[in-house]
Amino acid sequence: MGRVYYVSKNVGLGMLVLATIALATIIALSIAYDKERAKNRGKPENEATDSTSMPTPLTTPSTPKEPWDHYRLPDSLVPVSYNVTLWPRLRPNADGMYLFTGYSAVIFSCVKETDLIIIHSNKLNLTNFYGHHAKLSGLGDATAPTIQKTWLVVKTHYLVLQLRSALAVGASYVLHTEFQGELADDLEGFYRSEYTEDGVKKVVATSQMQATYARKTFPCFDEPAMKAVFTVTIIHDQGTVALSNGREIESFYPLLWTKLSHSLQIRIWARRKAIEDRQGDYALNVTGPILQFYEHYYNATYPLSKSDQIALPDFNAGAMENWGLVTYRETALLYDPIMSSTGNKERITTVIAHELAHMWFGNLVTLQWWNDLWLNEGFASYVEYLGADYAEPTWNIKDQIILYDVHKVFAVDALASSHPLSRREEEVNTPAQISEMFNTISYSKGAAVLRMLSEFLTEPVFAKGLSSYLNTFAFGNTVYTDLWDHLQQVVKNTPGMHIPHTVHNIMNRWTLQMGFPVVTIDTRTGSITQKHFLLDPDSVVDRPSQFKLPPRLVNSTTGEDWVLANTNVSGYFRVNYDLDNWDRLLSLLNTNHQALSIINRAQIIDDAFNLARAKIINTTLALRTSKYLAKERDYIPWESALRNLDYYILMFDRTEVYGALQLYLKKQIQPLFEYFKTITANWTKVPTGHTDRYNQINAIGIACSMGVDGCRELIKSWYRQWMESPHHNPIHPNLKTTVYCSAIAFGGVEEWDFAWRMFKNATLASEAVRLRSAMACTKVPWLLNRYLEYTLDPTKIRKQDATSTIQYIARNVVGMPLAWNFVRARWSYIFQHYGRGSFSFSNLVNGITKRFSTDFELQELKKFKEDNLHVGFGSATLALEQAIEKTTANIKWVTENKAHVLKWFTEEST
Ligand SMILES: *[C@@H]1O[C@H](CO)[C@@H](O)[C@H](O)[C@H]1NC(C)=O
Ligand SMILES: *[C@@H]1O[C@H](CO)[C@@H](O)[C@H](O)[C@H]1NC(C)=O
Ligand SMILES: *[C@@H]1O[C@H](CO)[C@@H](O)[C@H](O)[C@H]1NC(C)=O
Ligand SMILES: *[C@@H]1O[C@H](CO)[C@@H](O)[C@H](O)[C@H]1NC(C)=O
Ligand SMILES: *[C@@H]1O[C@H](CO)[C@@H](O)[C@H](O)[C@H]1NC(C)=O
Ligand SMILES: *[C@@H]1O[C@H](CO)[C@@H](O)[C@H](O)[C@H]1NC(C)=O
Ligand SMILES: *[C@@H]1O[C@H](CO)[C@@H](O)[C@H](O)[C@H]1NC(C)=O
Ligand SMILES: *[C@@H]1O[C@H](CO)[C@@H](O)[C@H](O)[C@H]1NC(C)=O
Ligand SMILES: [Zn+2]
């Protein structure tokens, strides 16, 4: 061929979990497991949708007959080491296909007698060796049995070798395979990502192995406990770079690097243009401090000698904690000092802190099987706040766990369809069951209960137990109870530390049962009672969960005449009081709200609104918690209130209640709007406080939609200025999402068309997302209908963005019926072209039906289901059932509450 290739060799350091690769202008090899769900941070720019779907109910599977029909590997063979060579082709072949070829030799030892070798292999074409798919040899004295036959099992992703005689227990063998696969743009296994630089198309070969895609890259024992040493060789064009988990033997051209005291090499990788624009600087700045924080917190040194982090143009999850080579979507790693918002920056910090936490917890020590995923993900989702707080101590970021994890998961875990954190190993087998484990319960409830445990045991005790666990099981695998054992041991050895039950007993209540309790405190009698909290009082659960609350957890604060429980909001439960105490708390809020901490104020609001939804307290009592907001300046309580009031807006924005609601909220938000106007010197400065910046967004967004004087004029003038000089956007990045939306909502075709031009011209992904969501805010029906048509035209809206754009339109009260008609009319086309294999397809149904609250809409929904049974609903099937259920519940709630709510808003808005 005449082209020069050079070979770089990468020795996988230590015992690595299963693994693989990336390549091109950037090429990376990555090992280990895990993907991050993108979190919604600081409101704007959330292109990634976060699924809150529930696993489907378990069915009892019939026991498969043959070993290769089981999804789990037999326990007869264990891998020791792999030599893997991969050669991705970054140019298409004559058929326009991108391919990779590879060679693998895996040494494994036999621990139980067997005449079968079963190893994972998926979508790989295996080369024939003398009529078989693989070659087998013995290691040392061992003689390999001859192969009788080999075959592939498509369903369970196996390559099977039937041997003529048995492998010897204690002996080791080498299995050789040669294979070819497609370097597809499917974001799974070894895959292709593309981008354009200076008009030239660039191709990156990269990897996503978690959870079950390593087998799509090379034949391997693709289970988390099958750890092995990897030696990886990547063949690539000169002028391209190869990266792997371990240090390269050859050295390349680091774009950025720095050294820590023990000469740890830290590098950030991305598109050349992004690095040149210094978009990697922020990530580079925070990585060192975050690693140092964890070394101290875990009392264990970083297990590798280098840390690479790479931003990829195409990436499915938020990030993936490959050991020593973490992969990210661009918005989770790249910070542009001019274009990025405060929310973008916070997301970068927390995602990095999350991934780096996994370098020890998850990679160095790995859970035995996917049923314990909640411990891995819950843990990283908790300590990410600690790591981020160390890197950015002025942000008070630890408080935000209340909004982004605790309240978020309360909403899901209060449903009858929730499930316990812990699953039995036998319940999780198929790739689909494994991917269902990556849900809000695992991440956010896991984080909430671990935070509760840490606060209960105290942080030093918790960290000491962790350190002991990590040091004991380094390079090995565990089950979740191993962590409890090590914590218990530290408790035992800590003088003066007494806990009422073992760590085991306490945690079982929260991990083995679904849901959480509402604790009721009656200050007249001093009684404390608890029961399983269910949002829908009519929902039925077989056996309501029983929780044991160690007294310290209820930890209450008392004022002269009031009691507030769950002081640090560390307990994973809601609190209800007798009416007199509620009244006293409300009066405290109205007279001296700062007597309570910020998170307690947010908690009172969230508890009250949810207790009212569950009919435990009166709706008007919940609404009364929002009265003091006229004096509130902090973000977390405001955000908590606005999230709860959002339900009222959705239920009533097409009814006469809305006029009164608008007057009330206008009155409440006005002082906040004025406050920000003052502290920003008439909107010329950025607030200094981190969360003040978020609350400024709330102030402007709500003030404009509620009609506060001066708000609309302000945003219109900003947008006008931008339209007049498109190269000088005067709108601060923090405010863009809100300002674009309001300006388009109150503008016409001119404003819309300008946004469209800017959208088509945008070079920063997050800027394009802001504009795409803002264009859905227009109130002009024909513009909305035209935009709906655009969503199904891939030359206008990228295919991956179609359904989320329709959801943005449905979020708009004028757009909702148009989007519903559009989706009904085109269901079969949408389903066929956008529904198959899509993770977030169910969000389309959720999004469109959010406002449904009339009998008529319920009938329409049922008819839609009937009319399209022959087409099907794919991954939106469950969402459709839930939509019918939720609409039914909404109808009931509106019927019961509408008159009271109208009366209350009317009285309170004058
Ligand atoms: C793997 O590679 C190493 C060094 O490159 C070599 O010593 C070893 O024999 C190889 N193992 C197998 C099973 O091919
Ligand atoms: C694998 O083999 C099948 C059947 O020959 C062929 O259609 C397919 O294109 C091959 N795939 C790759 C990636 O080589
Ligand atoms: C990174 O740190 C340097 C040195 O402290 C600082 O000058 C620079 O502004 C930081 N960059 C970013 C994007 O935070
Ligand atoms: C940290 O680890 C060292 C050695 O592993 C041990 O001696 C020391 O006690 C540990 N410190 C804490 C606070 O656990
Ligand atoms: C409540 O929490 C505070 C702060 O953590 C602690 O100082 C206090 O001792 C706790 N009170 C009880 C009764 O546990
Ligand atoms: C809620 O309280 C108000 C006023 O105290 C009362 O008029 C109303 O009937 C109560 N509503 C419910 C549902 O109990
Ligand atoms: C803000 O504007 C008002 C009136 O337009 C003016 O009186 C005031 O001085 C301005 N404040 C600042 C800090 O510029
Ligand atoms: C549109 O993008 C091109 C290329 O990036 C740039 O030269 C041009 O200035 C942009 N136009 C506007 C109005 O931003
Ligand atoms: Zn994670």
Side-chain angles (χ1 to χ4, degrees):
M1 295 277 285
R3 248 180 319 141
V4 184
Y5 296 101
Y6 68 86
V7 173
S8 58
K9 212 158 208 199
N10 299 291
V11 181
L13 290 179
M15 314 290 287
L16 301 184
V17 194
L18 278 177
T20 308
I21 323 301
L23 180 138
T25 314
I26 11 182
I27 160 158
L29 180 91
S30 4
I31 292 215
Y33 283 92
D34 187 56
K35 65 181 170 197
E36 292 327 317
R37 306 230 144 211
K39 281 201 181 180
N40 296 352
R41 284 267 172 218
K43 309 208 60 139
E45 283 89 79
N46 307 311
E47 72 274 49
T49 38
D50 188 346
S51 157
T52 51
S53 67
M54 288 295 166
T56 41
L58 298 163
T59 47
T60 327
S62 53
T63 313
K65 284 191 194 60
E66 304 292 352
W68 51 83
D69 293 329
H70 290 256
Y71 283 94
R72 293 294 300 272
L73 290 167
D75 56 2
S76 40
L77 308 175
V78 292
V80 176
S81 66
Y82 293 80
N83 283 359
V84 183
T85 300
L86 290 164
W87 184 7
R89 311 302 152 82
L90 302 182
R91 289 177 190 81
N93 68 8
D95 302 329
M97 243 177 134
Y98 288 82
L99 298 175
F100 67 92
T101 51
Y103 166 80
S104 167
V106 50
I107 300 180
F108 61 90
S109 62
C110 174
V111 292
K112 262 192 198 168
E113 193 179 284
T114 179
D115 60 359
L116 277 178
I117 297 174
I118 298 184
I119 186 168
H120 285 107
S121 179
N122 186 28
K123 297 188 181 168
L124 297 172
N125 284 356
L126 294 158
T127 308
N128 244 310
F129 289 105
Y130 313 105
H132 299 306
H133 288 105
K135 219 165 57 178
L136 184 69
S137 50
L139 201 69
D141 300 338
T143 316
T146 53
I147 300 172
Q148 183 185 341
K149 62 172 178 168
T150 63
W151 69 97
L152 296 166
V153 186
V154 172
K155 187 174 166 219
T156 45
H157 301 163
Y158 285 136
L159 161 64
V160 186
L161 285 79
Q162 174 69 61
L163 308 174
R164 288 194 192 281
S165 57
L167 298 166
V169 173
S172 294
Y173 304 87
V174 190
L175 183 74
H176 306 266
T177 48
E178 270 181 35
F179 46 89
Q180 173 163 314
E182 185 182 354
L183 194 69
D185 54 359
D186 58 358
L187 312 176
E188 293 172 357
F190 199 20
Y191 75 91
R192 182 174 98 248
S193 172
E194 294 177 355
Y195 62 96
T196 311
E197 206 165 73
D198 302 328
V200 179
K201 184 167 109 172
K202 306 269 180 167
V203 176
V204 186
T206 184
S207 71
Q208 173 61 39
M209 300 308 183
Q210 196 185 39
T212 53
Y213 304 127
R215 62 190 68 168
K216 189 171 163 281
T217 307
F218 59 100
C220 54
F221 297 94
D222 194 6
E223 293 192 355
M226 297 283 187
K227 292 190 173 192
V229 176
F230 285 78
T231 304
V232 176
T233 304
I234 295 172
I235 301 174
H236 59 109
D237 285 12
Q238 202 157 25
T240 65
V241 173
L243 296 173
S244 159
N245 304 77
R247 252 182 204 274
E248 312 85 341
I249 289 169
E250 306 257 358
S251 65
F252 302 107
Y253 311 102
L255 300 172
L256 284 168
W257 62 276
T258 188
K259 281 186 169 171
L260 280 186
S261 54
H262 51 272
S263 59
L264 168 67
Q265 185 187 43
I266 298 176
R267 297 183 296 189
I268 306 295
W269 300 82
R271 288 178 287 110
R272 182 174 303 280
K273 178 81 168 57
I275 295 293
E276 282 169 3
D277 288 351
R278 315 220 55 89
Q279 292 178 13
D281 287 18
Y282 180 69
L284 189 64
N285 279 3
V286 295
T287 297
I290 290 173
L291 286 176
Q292 276 166 345
F293 169 79
Y294 288 129
E295 290 195 325
H296 180 77
Y297 180 69
Y298 293 138
N299 192 21
T301 48
Y302 177 66
L304 303 172
S305 66
K306 65 102 168 165
S307 162
D308 283 318
Q309 295 176 96
I310 183 168
L312 294 161
D314 299 281
F315 195 76
N316 205 1
M320 172 68 220
E321 73 271 27
N322 308 297
W323 214 16
L325 177 50
V326 186
T327 47
Y328 295 83
R329 69 166 61 197
E330 291 196 348
T331 49
L333 191 69
L334 302 181
Y335 174 75
D336 184 312
I338 296 164
M339 297 287 281
S340 298
S341 66
T342 299
N344 296 149
K345 190 174 194 176
E346 184 182 301
R347 167 134 191 258
I348 290 163
T349 320
T350 53
V351 176
I352 291 176
H354 180 110
E355 301 313 319
L356 297 182
H358 279 312
M359 297 300 114
W360 291 260
F361 202 102
N363 294 353
L364 182 64
V365 178
T366 309
L367 274 314
Q368 181 79 19
W369 184 245
W370 300 107
N371 62 311
D372 281 346
L373 183 80
W374 74 268
L375 181 57
N376 192 35
E377 289 310 340
F379 181 85
S381 300
Y382 166 51
V383 300
E384 71 181 58
Y385 290 96
L386 311 187
D389 181 58
Y390 183 80
E392 294 287 1
T394 63
W395 288 1
N396 280 330
I397 198 165
K398 287 199 227 172
D399 282 354
Q400 292 194 35
I401 195 172
I402 304 304
L403 290 175
Y404 294 107
D405 289 290
V406 182
H407 289 178
K408 178 176 160 192
V409 72
F410 268 168
V412 182
D413 206 18
L415 304 178
S417 58
S418 190
H419 64 88
L421 273 175
S422 215
R423 295 215 142 190
R424 280 179 299 121
E425 189 169 340
E426 316 81 79
E427 292 176 347
V428 182
N429 292 300
T430 66
Q433 287 166 341
I434 293 166
S435 69
E436 276 177 351
M437 300 303 292
F438 292 85
N439 59 37
T440 306
I441 295 282
S442 294
Y443 280 75
S444 295
K445 183 174 181 177
V449 303
L450 288 167
R451 173 171 171 270
M452 173 164 77
L453 179 63
S454 175
E455 299 218 359
F456 168 63
L457 297 177
T458 72
E459 193 173 297
V461 168
F462 185 74
K464 218 166 172 184
L466 260 180
S467 167
S468 159
Y469 165 89
L470 292 170
N471 286 307
T472 305
F473 298 106
F475 301 105
N477 290 83
T478 54
V479 292
Y480 75 94
T481 50
D482 291 327
L483 180 60
W484 300 166
D485 289 344
H486 282 257
L487 290 168
Q488 185 64 41
Q489 197 60 36
V490 175
V491 167
K492 209 179 108 195
N493 297 336
T494 303
M497 176 108 202
H498 298 290
I499 57 172
H501 303 274
T502 60
V503 172
H504 245 82
N505 278 342
I506 294 168
M507 292 311 283
N508 280 351
R509 306 284 174 152
W510 306 95
T511 61
L512 303 181
Q513 311 183 101
M514 73 173 198
F516 58 90
V518 48
V519 174
T520 301
I521 297 186
D522 190 331
T523 58
R524 294 161 306 186
T525 61
S527 83
I528 300 181
T529 53
Q530 53 123 335
K531 74 173 217 258
H532 188 161
F533 178 78
L534 290 163
L535 191 61
D536 177 357
D538 302 330
S539 56
V540 186
V541 289
D542 294 348
R543 214 154 42 96
S545 302
Q546 290 294 313
F547 302 90
K548 210 167 228 143
L549 304 166
R552 241 181 75 86
L553 280 181
V554 185
N555 191 347
S556 56
T557 308
T558 49
E560 275 171 27
D561 53 2
W562 49 267
V563 172
L564 180 94
N566 200 5
T567 310
N568 306 322
V569 197
S570 51
Y572 185 66
F573 50 80
R574 294 199 178 281
V575 186
N576 186 22
Y577 306 94
D578 57 284
L579 280 178
D580 291 344
N581 194 60
W582 272 117
D583 278 337
R584 290 190 290 259
L585 284 173
L586 290 181
S587 108
L588 180 67
L589 282 178
N590 286 318
T591 54
N592 180 21
H593 65 277
Q594 289 179 333
L596 300 174
S597 72
I598 291 174
I599 52 176
N600 282 139
R601 273 131 62 191
Q603 192 60 31
I604 289 175
I605 295 167
D606 198 63
D607 279 347
F609 273 91
N610 283 281
L611 292 169
R613 286 281 295 279
K615 293 198 199 173
I616 294 171
I617 65 171
N618 192 320
T619 297
T620 55
L621 177 54
L623 287 168
R624 283 165 62 205
T625 64
S626 73
K627 280 185 69 171
Y628 93 100
L629 289 172
K631 294 189 196 133
E632 180 62 86
R633 301 289 175 265
D634 274 298
Y635 167 67
I636 296 179
W638 259 111
E639 181 66 19
S640 177
L642 291 175
R643 288 182 185 186
N644 282 296
L645 286 167
D646 193 50
Y647 182 68
Y648 289 66
I649 293 176
L650 288 171
M651 290 303 105
F652 297 128
D653 66 2
R654 297 171 295 165
T655 74
E656 76 266 33
V657 176
Y658 194 63
L661 184 157
Q662 223 177 356
L663 283 177
Y664 173 71
L665 258 186
K666 177 178 169 184
K667 186 174 121 189
Q668 298 301 83
I669 201 83
Q670 176 112 31
L672 193 71
F673 183 75
E674 297 300 334
Y675 168 77
F676 281 107
K677 184 175 175 184
T678 306
I679 69 164
T680 60
N682 292 338
W683 312 109
T684 57
K685 290 191 187 141
V686 178
T688 40
H690 180 68
T691 52
D692 284 347
R693 295 178 179 180
Y694 293 155
N695 218 22
Q696 183 193 19
I697 303 169
N698 279 338
I700 293 180
I702 302 295
C704 280
S705 59
M706 298 304 146
V708 170
D709 289 343
C711 189
R712 294 179 188 179
E713 292 68 23
L714 177 72
I715 56 99
K716 276 185 187 167
S717 78
W718 282 337
Y719 196 80
R720 270 278 143 203
Q721 283 176 46
W722 187 33
M723 284 174 69
E724 278 156 19
S725 56
H727 294 283
H728 300 283
N729 187 339
I731 307 160
H732 191 277
N734 288 350
L735 303 179
K736 280 179 173 176
T737 301
T738 292
V739 170
Y740 294 174
C741 174
S742 300
I744 289 169
F746 305 120
V749 62
E750 233 186 299
E751 284 76 9
W752 201 97
D753 284 349
F754 175 74
W756 179 256
R757 281 199 303 279
M758 292 299 105
F759 168 69
K760 293 313 271 185
N761 212 37
T763 49
L764 189 75
S766 53
E767 179 70 2
V769 177
R770 295 164 184 153
L771 286 160
R772 189 162 56 82
S773 72
M775 286 183 286
C777 296
T778 178
K779 308 284 182 206
V780 181
W782 73 265
L783 286 175
L784 287 165
N785 272 331
R786 186 178 69 176
Y787 197 24
L788 280 166
E789 295 293 340
Y790 286 5
T791 62
L792 299 188
D793 177 351
T795 65
K796 293 200 159 65
I797 299 287
R798 282 192 302 154
K799 225 180 143 184
Q800 63 175 33
D801 297 329
T803 56
S804 66
T805 308
I806 299 173
Q807 284 170 66
Y808 292 143
I809 295 170
R811 172 74 227 189
N812 173 347
V813 63
V814 180
M816 190 278 277
L818 306 178
W820 175 222
N821 287 341
F822 181 78
V823 166
R824 278 189 293 178
R826 320 279 178 98
W827 181 254
S828 132
Y829 182 85
I830 293 175
F831 179 62
Q832 264 160 34
H833 292 84
Y834 297 88
R836 290 193 201 286
S838 164
F839 243 151
S840 51
F841 195 54
S842 59
N843 292 339
L844 180 63
V845 172
N846 286 336
I848 291 180
T849 59
K850 266 210 166 87
R851 271 192 188 80
F852 283 15
S853 50
T854 64
D855 264 326
F856 183 67
E857 282 159 341
L858 181 63
Q859 295 322 315
E860 283 186 333
L861 200 52
K862 288 180 172 166
K863 183 157 190 313
F864 169 65
K865 184 182 158 188
E866 263 168 45
D867 290 351
N868 290 288
L869 279 177
H870 64 288
V871 180
F873 303 95
S875 60
T877 307
L878 185 62
L880 184 60
E881 289 308 319
Q882 287 174 342
I884 291 173
E885 212 178 303
K886 282 186 211 160
T887 304
T888 311
N890 289 344
I891 294 170
K892 231 168 94 195
W893 187 86
V894 168
T895 310
E896 284 165 10
N897 288 284
K898 187 172 169 187
H900 294 302
V901 171
L902 175 59
K903 181 160 170 279
W904 193 86
F905 280 131
T906 308
E907 284 168 7
E908 294 300 331
S909 57
T910 48

